[in-house]
Amino acid sequence: MTDTLTAVPTLPHWIGGAETPSSSDRTAPVYDPARGVVTKRVALASTQEVDAAVAAASAAFPGWRDTSIAKRQQVIFRFRELLNERKEELAAILTSEHGKVLSDALGEIARGLEIVELACGFPHLIKGEHSENVSTGVDVYSIKQPLGVVGIISPFNFPAMVPMWFFPIAIAAGNAVVLKPSEKDPSAANWMAALWAEAGLPAGVFNVVHGDKVAVDALLEHPDVRSISFVGSTPIAQYIYETAARTGKRVQALGGAKNHMLVLPDADLDLVADSAVNAGFGSAGERCMAVSVVVAVEPVADALIEKLTTRMATLRVGDGTRNPDMGPLVTGEHRDKVASYIDVAAADGASVVVDGRGVEVDGEADGFWLGPTLIDKVPTSSRVYQEEIFGPVLSIVRVASYEEGVALINSGRFGNGTAIFTNDGGAARRFQNEVEVGMIGINVPIPVPVGYFSFGGWKQSLFGANKAYGPAGFDFFTQEKAITSRWLDPSHGGINLGFPQNG
Ligand code: NAD
């Protein structure tokens, strides 16, 4: 593993419309996961650098807020056009730092574009309401205004899509943004910042500060930051939620997941096997909506395992630029942590059906490889079942009935996504009613809602009342004023100290 401080460039911040070299001497390595080498370093901002980004955003905010809806809309349409034209460039950046295969990187961008396209229609979504004559000669109406400077803190697994869950809507609604992307794959954020500049967004409306806990804490504590949108692991999400609430900010904090796929005996097992493999091993399992547990209602488990292993044997693991099925994990440290669960499984009495360690790869030997792994009869007391693994490890838990399966899913602390596979419409309907999870698939394994619905889980998968994007996104990035007005009708009722009533 190469890690020479001098040999590689350092990625700067993007503040006030231009690249801004860091004044802090702290940096972190950025790897090419398929080669296991450090390709660049990323600046880790000091509190003063975060202050500079917030100051740039604060200075840009009034002008952007007051820019007409028509002109704001033109900028967002232009951003959409540029992103669509150049998505291959961005996909290559994602593959080089995250490791996901190029086609998957393009899929991530397509789902981000969906939110940009939603934001193009923002004038309709930030309209207020108007009631005439609520009392004689009195009208009431509401207007939705931007919050001001908004902070976005994003995870490593979707370096383009997750920031795009938030910033197109925030910007359309008239806010100014400070984005703190993951330090593991930070270059996509600068690329998108440069695209905004090219699209005509005024300097300072979109800023990027790179960093770690120091930068996050500086955003959380800054009095001029009005809201925090966070996506990441549950312990950090909870910390963000509690800290932002204490500092008086609006906050939405999306956390981790452990998504179950419930398979009923009447399901089409070929569809189930295809779906479990796609959803369990796509992006090397580094998706918050990945399926990590198959809950097999007996007697389906043995037949399903046979179909799964047949498919898994065909999966090609390798360098994401060479068009394999699955790439490496994001860092060596993360790969080792994920692999360690295979030993835990064996020690806890589970049966390791396919062990992804030592997988044959089409890539450099030092890449952060771990092949698809299948573990059967996972005890629900095991850490393999209890914890979010976030890698290509699929567990099977066998249950005797639908009721036992649903009770198991509902006993979990996460509630991000789940799926049921069945040909029984009544069972599916009952499942959508009974399961305590925010996003549900019926014969669909990764039920990420389209842009005009909202994304978010229940329980420890989402802290705060607001989901991401869709109608909830526009609610989050605007604040409403209600105005009660009367225009001169010269009659008036004189002095009356009673509470106002309509009449
Ligand atoms: P992470 O929690 O380690 O990091 C997320 C962000 O928090 C990064 O920007 C990171 O720099 C920052 N951070 C890390 N440690 C911090 C600390 N101690 N204090 C303050 N900030 C800190 O998450 P990750 O490993 O980058 O991403 C994977 C996680 O994100 C998984 O748990 C996954 O389920 C979750 N995720 C959830 C969703 C969702 O929609 N619910 C979507 C994507 C990812």
Side-chain angles (χ1 to χ4, degrees):
M1 200 179 287
T2 314
D3 186 354
T4 41
L5 272 171
T6 47
V8 293
T10 299
L11 187 74
H13 308 299
W14 181 283
I15 297 175
E19 284 193 340
T20 310
S22 179
S23 52
S24 138
D25 53 6
R26 293 189 319 122
T27 61
V30 179
Y31 293 94
D32 174 348
R35 292 191 293 137
V37 295
V38 176
T39 53
K40 61 180 66 145
R41 299 192 69 86
V42 59
L44 298 177
S46 62
T47 300
Q48 292 71 24
E49 288 176 295
V50 173
D51 290 350
V54 175
S58 299
F61 170 62
W64 181 242
R65 175 195 56 198
D66 293 339
T67 299
S68 73
I69 285 179
K71 288 193 177 129
R72 284 184 350 228
Q73 203 177 20
Q74 282 164 10
V75 173
I76 294 163
F77 266 97
R78 183 80 187 118
F79 181 82
R80 189 262 168 206
E81 291 308 307
L82 290 171
L83 182 57
N84 200 34
E85 273 165 36
R86 304 224 196 116
K87 55 189 176 217
E88 271 84 12
E89 264 176 55
L90 181 56
I93 292 172
L94 300 181
T95 296
S96 71
E97 293 185 359
H98 176 280
K100 61 179 69 181
V101 304
L102 272 174
S103 56
D104 192 35
L106 282 167
E108 161 174 0
I109 297 165
R111 294 308 300 259
L113 257 171
E114 207 174 281
I115 311 305
V116 179
E117 286 163 359
L118 175 77
C120 287
F122 81 91
H124 181 63
L125 293 159
I126 59 164
K127 284 192 298 197
E129 296 176 311
H130 195 128
S131 287
E132 188 186 41
N133 233 16
V134 297
S135 185
T136 307
V138 176
D139 303 332
V140 174
Y141 52 96
S142 60
I143 54 177
K144 295 187 183 183
Q145 296 191 323
L147 306 178
V149 178
V150 299
I152 300 169
I153 300 161
S154 55
F156 82 82
N157 65 321
F158 286 111
M161 181 189 78
V162 165
M164 281 194 269
W165 281 356
F166 304 105
F167 69 64
I169 294 174
I171 288 173
N175 299 282
V177 171
V178 178
L179 167 65
K180 206 300 288 171
S182 169
E183 64 276 38
K184 294 194 179 106
D185 41 19
S187 298
N190 286 39
W191 188 91
M192 293 188 289
L195 208 69
W196 272 122
E198 198 175 332
L201 189 71
V205 177
F206 184 75
N207 306 277
V208 178
V209 275
H210 296 289
D212 54 7
K213 180 170 167 53
V214 172
V216 170
D217 284 344
L219 275 176
L220 287 169
E221 298 290 342
H222 201 298
D224 296 342
V225 175
R226 300 296 314 282
S227 73
I228 297 287
S229 302
F230 171 89
V231 180
S233 59
T234 284
I236 311 294
Q238 187 160 3
Y239 167 75
I240 298 281
Y241 176 70
E242 289 168 359
T243 313
R246 179 175 53 71
T247 57
K249 298 184 194 335
R250 192 175 281 206
V251 57
Q252 50 184 173
L254 286 76
K258 190 86 183 176
N259 304 316
H260 296 64
M261 174 196 263
L262 181 64
V263 182
L264 300 194
D266 71 337
D268 174 338
L269 284 194
D270 285 305
L271 175 67
V272 172
D274 287 345
S275 302
V277 167
N278 295 344
F281 305 122
S283 200
E286 292 171 330
R287 290 182 183 140
C288 66
M289 290 293 274
V291 166
S292 51
V293 183
V294 172
V295 181
V297 178
E298 291 292 42
V300 298
D302 287 336
L304 178 58
I305 287 170
E306 201 180 315
K307 289 180 186 292
L308 288 172
T309 50
T310 307
R311 285 162 173 79
M312 287 169 69
T314 68
L315 293 180
R316 292 163 299 119
V317 178
D319 183 325
T321 61
R322 300 183 197 170
N323 202 26
D325 296 302
M326 202 183 99
L329 275 79
V330 69
T331 60
E333 192 187 354
H334 185 57
R335 186 266 322 272
D336 294 345
K337 182 175 170 218
V338 173
S340 73
Y341 282 98
I342 304 173
D343 289 329
V344 174
D348 287 350
S351 150
V352 179
V353 183
V354 181
D355 186 335
R357 292 172 294 191
V359 67
E360 206 174 290
V361 296
D362 178 15
E364 303 291 322
D366 286 343
F368 306 138
W369 308 111
L370 180 66
T373 296
L374 184 66
I375 305 174
D376 186 21
K377 298 183 180 147
V378 175
T380 54
S381 55
S382 171
R383 283 177 44 226
V384 175
Y385 177 76
Q386 295 287 336
E387 296 176 7
E388 180 180 38
I389 298 176
F390 220 58
V393 177
L394 187 60
S395 296
I396 304 220
V397 175
R398 299 171 180 232
V399 295
S401 64
Y402 162 89
E403 286 79 8
E404 193 188 333
V406 172
L408 179 69
I409 297 171
N410 286 351
S411 68
R413 64 196 168 100
F414 300 110
N416 212 40
T418 189
I420 185 169
F421 277 71
T422 180
N423 280 317
D424 180 342
R429 188 169 181 275
R430 191 176 155 195
F431 182 74
Q432 76 180 31
N433 176 261
E434 293 177 345
V435 78
E436 292 164 12
V437 173
M439 293 173 282
I440 297 164
I442 297 175
N443 298 318
V444 172
I446 308 183
V448 175
V450 290
Y452 38 93
F453 285 79
S454 296
F455 181 105
W458 283 19
K459 301 198 233 173
Q460 290 189 17
S461 295
L462 174 65
F463 297 87
N466 274 82
K467 292 187 168 200
Y469 65 76
F474 285 91
D475 283 346
F476 187 81
F477 286 115
T478 55
Q479 50 193 343
E480 196 175 273
K481 280 178 178 161
I483 296 132
T484 303
S485 83
R486 171 161 54 201
W487 284 101
L488 268 196
D489 163 358
S491 64
H492 57 82
I495 298 289
N496 178 355
L497 300 193
F499 195 64
Q501 294 174 35
N502 300 324

